[in-house]
Amino acid sequence: MAKQLLLIDGNSIVFRAFFAMHNQIDKFTNKDGLHTAAIYGFKLMLDHVLGNFHPDAALVAFDAGKVTFRTKMYDDYKGGRNKTPEELTEQFPYVRELVKACGLHSYELKNYEADDIIGTLAKQGDEAGYETLIVTGDRDLTQLASDHTTVAVTHKGVTDTEHYTPEHVEEKLGITPTQIIDMKALMGDTSDNYPGVTKVGEKTAIKLVKQFGSVENLYDNINDLKKSKMKEHLIEDEDIAKQCKTLATILRDAPLEIGLKDIQYQGEQTEELIAFYQQMGFKSFLAKMNVEPSEEEQAKPVEFTEFTRDNLADELGNLDGELSFFLEMPDPNYHTSPFAGFVIGDGQKWLVSRDAELLKEAPLKELLESTRVAKNVFNAKAQIVGLHRLGINLQNIDFDLLLASYLLNTNDNSNDLGQVALEHDYHDVPTDEEVYGKGAKRAIPDDDQVFFNHLAQKARAINELKDKLFKELEENKQIPLYTDIELPLTRVLAKMEITGVHVNAQTLKNMGSKLTERLADIEKQIYDEAGEEFNINSTKQLGHILFEKLKLPVIKKTKTGYSTAVDVLEKLADQSPIVEQILQYRQISKLQSTYITGLLKVIHSSDQKIHTRYLQTLTQTGRLSSVDPNLQNIPVRLPEGRLIRKAFVPSHEGWQIFSSDYSQVELRVLAHITGDKNLQEDFKNGEDIHASTARRIFHLPAGAEIDRNMRRRAKAVNFGIVYGISDYGLAQRIHVTRSQAHEFIQNYFKEFPGVKKYIDETIQFARDHGYVETITHRRRYLPDINAKSFNRRSFAERTAMNTPIQGSAADIIKIAMIRMQSEIEKRQLKAKMLLQIHDELVFEAPADEIPVLKKLVPQVMDSAVKLNVPLKVESKVGDTWYDLK
DNA sequence: CGACTCACG
DNA sequence: ACGTACGTGAGTCGT
């Protein structure tokens, strides 16, 4: 077998690794405060490569500095680049250390780039009969691909690579690897900051290269081109193109002081590597080698005492002041999870046990239920529900580490205590994954020492992070948000979850059998039409049938094949009856799998109820989400799906379902925060807002009839504004031309100038501060707001304007929920709040309380906050969730 | 585990 | 020249 040569583009891989893990940059620091994400990522890449490729010689090439022969030739080469962040530059020396410990050589050469070193050695490799693999994050190196040299370019992350052989280059670009140089000479390179020929981009460059073969040949035969602007540019920029070609060409004969014989692969240097990992704090790599982390990387030790029935009272007597508490439930679903153990303590002393039954012992129960002793926890809602299952009513929660952390930064929303602690620079508690393992291997340790230690570490982390996080909330002006909204809401949500919603399984089963029959029927029709049986649920097989066998026109493609999404199928509906049948099939099978079998699976047999979990610390905007199951997306729009709601019934005879929802709450919030006079006026006048928007943007005279189509379009414009509109997006949605959509938007901004002003100012605020806020100072950071990539930046801009609106609407209903629950308790109503669906609250109540709710709920909801436009609430009542009127 | 599709606000 | 509306969760397929 041929000898193998591995050449790694050190700089580009380190950059890739750094930016790939940039969102978790703070999680990767060692004890000395050194950032380690890039080092870690580099090692991941190395392991991945060495898993498949066994080199005889290997080299990591680095850039030797900014000045190279290219900068001497062209001043602006790689000019205009942002300064490399300090968090990255500090890692380079350690990457070199790592490379050495891994048994690879590294090399750099003054005045040359890593590319040139690689190009030169790859050529030597080719000549010496090696099979060469080049690993890089830089697509430019694909010009080096040859029959014996493959170029692996990182695709996503650091381990997912795309392999470029000459065939692959041909397939992707239609040119040979060396012609990539000609292509780049013509199109230029924005990241290396050389221009290429004016107005020539990738498409044009490839076309020219295919036609002429090379830049030189192009200019030798330039007269063959027809007169055009492009030709003028080419002639004008001839010198530039030729200079760019030199810049783009990777050298194959750089004056290296080393050769292949000097870079033999040594294999891993185990001892050096262990010492290095310990210094870096790479616990997972150490664990793979069965080595303990170094002493200073290990969490500082914590002392604990095991509870027994006998020592319980005495030990509790020694506790003093506020308590940190943690009940360990290994399954995420705390309604059903077993209890693995618990810890309680005051910061000095930690008491632990595996036996959750001990919590029921009087002294402990009294402490947890005491309104005088403050408790600090992680995920208060889980703790309230868990303890409720043990008959304990947890009181006086002061600090919830998870909740506080979420308010400080919605981006770090892990549910793992160790992970959250790390985000706040606290290193003395490992993650559950590190202690319990992951996947099938995950288990609570049998070893008491290991398990209790982890519990004590968790409680200690809660205790020790409290002051720091409160201080940060204070700095962000978020104390009222935490104290008056989120923490009280936790208790309301716990109550709703515990109450659960009664679901009639028989109703679902009956619907299910009907759907099964229809499904079989449609299935048969589809197979007839297709002429064969196939898996209709497989988009791949379906795409094959529709677009290859039946030869329907391809409307849209996805990354992996043909798109068969609804909007595509709707366009094909008149081409073949199979399309309508597939739409039918999809609709029904969705109902069947998600809503019939899905819901049946989660009805608790003990009470015939479904107990969802509301996630309070997940969304980027402040909304809740609902899982296990999701009760916020039960069908309503289509009549067939809506029938599912018949199964949602009151839990007692003689009770009814009652529901109130905010009408157009987001647009009202928009009117409030933009201060737009026209929008506010329309709401104050109690207008049909979409109709009045139509009147304004289509310039209709007062009193003129507004036809349905106009209202529909205006409604889409209103939605679009809230979401951060583009003319293209609007055009797609309401089936008009892009220029018409553009005109609608312009008209909107003319009619509602306050909205336009708000959008501009909010984006500017985000650029200046890096975050946006809702009316309650809920915060969302937008790191991409100044990104170079158009896509990422645009996305951040849209979220900048959408988040204050969606988030403020979420704030409003949260406040209403807290007030509503407290009204129910104050008035001692039997009514129960069951569900929140973003702008809607669903209750169940005895029939005689319905008149009370009809008055009370709208009153509480529309006075939840004072906006400068009125809030409007509509209520409905019925015997099931389906029958609401 | 990612991609796709589709249910909701 | 780009590539497209905001926020979610679940089921299914296929690597």
Side-chain angles (χ1 to χ4, degrees), chain A residues 723-738:
Chain A
Y723 293 153
I725 202 157
S726 75
D727 50 14
Y728 179 90
L730 181 65
Q732 284 282 306
R733 198 142 291 238
I734 58 175
H735 306 115
V736 296
T737 66
R738 194 168 165 168

Side-chain angles (χ1 to χ4, degrees), chain A residues 324-354:
Chain A
S324 293
F325 173 79
F326 187 77
L327 170 61
E328 181 74 85
M329 292 177 277
D331 294 353
N333 191 339
Y334 45 74
H335 291 293
T336 52
S337 170
F339 303 115
F342 69 91
V343 52
I344 189 166
D346 59 4
Q348 306 298 316
K349 200 169 173 57
W350 301 110
L351 303 164
V352 294
S353 172
R354 286 184 188 268

Side-chain angles (χ1 to χ4, degrees), chain A residues 649-767:
Chain A
V649 294
S651 59
H652 301 286
E653 198 69 31
W655 286 38
Q656 289 192 298
I657 302 291
F658 178 88
S659 161
S660 295
D661 70 289
Y662 284 113
S663 155
Q664 282 124 17
V665 62
E666 291 192 349
L667 287 175
R668 287 169 201 267
V669 168
L670 181 73
H672 172 81
I673 59 180
T674 62
D676 186 275
K677 288 287 167 284
N678 286 346
L679 196 51
Q680 292 191 355
E681 195 181 293
D682 290 352
F683 275 121
K684 283 178 185 158
N685 294 339
E687 304 247 5
D688 170 346
I689 196 66
H690 300 313
S692 65
T693 302
R695 187 172 297 121
R696 286 186 189 273
I697 66 178
F698 301 129
H699 303 303
L700 305 172
E705 185 84 355
I706 289 147
D707 71 54
R708 289 169 57 104
N709 203 28
M710 282 190 170
R711 187 177 180 284
R712 189 180 63 83
R713 288 177 177 186
K715 186 174 172 181
V717 173
N718 276 330
F719 270 94
I721 294 294
V722 171
Y723 293 153
I725 202 157
S726 75
D727 50 14
Y728 179 90
L730 181 65
Q732 284 282 306
R733 198 142 291 238
I734 58 175
H735 306 115
V736 296
T737 66
R738 194 168 165 168
S739 66
Q740 277 175 305
H742 182 75
E743 198 186 319
F744 295 168
I745 295 166
Q746 292 310 310
N747 285 347
Y748 184 97
F749 287 144
K750 236 183 270 162
E751 292 295 320
F752 301 104
V755 175
K756 175 71 175 135
K757 186 157 171 276
Y758 162 81
I759 292 174
D760 296 341
E761 286 172 357
T762 305
I763 291 171
Q764 194 52 50
F765 181 94
R767 283 187 196 134

Side-chain angles (χ1 to χ4, degrees), chain A residues 264-290:
Chain A
Q264 295 305 300
Y265 175 54
Q266 314 283 315
E268 234 173 57
Q269 312 292 301
T270 311
E271 272 177 38
E272 275 179 54
L273 205 52
I274 289 173
F276 182 78
Y277 287 160
Q278 285 179 329
Q279 193 193 350
M280 293 300 120
F282 288 165
K283 291 180 216 158
S284 62
F285 286 140
L286 284 170
K288 256 188 227 160
M289 301 170 81
N290 292 318

